[in-house]
Amino acid sequence: DRRDTPYLTDEIKDAFEKRYAHRYPNRQAMALPILHEIQHHYNWLPHQAIEEAAAFLDMEASKLLDTATFYEEFFLQPRGKHTIWVCQSVSCEVMNEAKITEAISDKLGILPGETTDDDKFTFMKVECIGACGGAPCMLVDETLHENLTPENVGDVLDKLD
């Protein structure tokens, strides 16, 4: 669905120009930062926003969409208020990541890749968070939680509004 109000507002464009444009050799090189900026504002990447960003960057929307679909941290569908990323690297797997995943699924009633009916949580699995010393671990939004157990993972989720 298209909306009359642009996603990529003049305020966002101006702030983006001041913060990033001087750091890149051309406008197309700013593809990842603009996708992050849009997702930060709206919690996902609406198709209209991708089209607007592509025009802003002087590139084809299909190329920007290709970039967005390559990286798993970008969402092309609305997601929950909180995003849970459970690490499934070898270190986390050895430290019982499967039990963490099961505990989260049981608590929220969803599987990885799904969002709760109340749009509070989106549950994802990721190859590596880069916190192997604290395995098993997960990110909730941008907060790292390490040394998880099936018992304490529920406590982490209970503390979220």
Side-chain angles (χ1 to χ4, degrees):
D1 293 332
R2 295 196 68 77
R3 68 183 205 177
D4 293 334
T5 307
Y7 286 95
L8 203 62
T9 64
D10 288 339
E11 180 182 338
I12 293 172
K13 289 178 188 176
D14 291 344
F16 197 81
E17 287 283 358
K18 289 175 186 166
R19 196 173 338 140
Y20 294 106
H22 67 281
R23 297 170 47 191
Y24 292 92
N26 59 51
R27 298 187 72 71
Q28 294 82 16
M30 297 187 294
L32 287 175
I34 197 83
L35 291 172
H36 281 289
E37 186 79 16
I38 294 166
Q39 185 160 283
H40 177 75
H41 274 75
Y42 301 104
N43 207 30
W44 69 295
L45 298 173
H47 187 74
Q48 179 181 338
I50 292 173
E51 290 174 342
E52 293 169 8
F56 177 67
L57 298 177
D58 298 322
M59 64 189 297
E60 294 176 30
S62 61
K63 291 188 183 218
L64 192 56
L65 181 62
D66 284 348
T67 302
T69 58
F70 180 80
Y71 295 98
E72 62 185 10
E73 74 263 21
F74 293 122
F75 288 82
L76 300 178
Q77 298 294 322
R79 63 179 168 155
K81 179 179 180 181
H82 300 287
T83 304
I84 302 162
W85 298 92
V86 173
C87 182
Q88 61 182 4
S89 70
V90 172
S91 296
C92 287
E93 183 179 349
V94 168
M95 298 302 291
N96 290 318
E97 162 274 321
K99 291 189 183 292
I100 304 306
T101 297
E102 182 180 346
I104 294 169
S105 286
D106 290 348
K107 180 159 186 66
L108 300 179
I110 58 173
L111 296 171
E114 297 179 340
T115 299
T116 56
D117 289 338
D118 63 1
D119 291 328
K120 187 172 181 182
F121 297 102
T122 295
F123 180 24
M124 303 295 293
K125 304 238 336 206
V126 65
E127 283 307 315
C128 186
I129 290 175
C132 299
C137 60
M138 69 179 179
L139 283 173
V140 178
D141 302 323
E142 296 178 6
T143 303
L144 178 64
H145 299 274
E146 298 177 292
N147 303 306
L148 297 169
T149 66
E151 297 75 30
N152 71 13
V153 75
D155 296 337
V156 171
L157 300 179
D158 288 340
K159 292 177 183 172
L160 300 170
D161 57 8

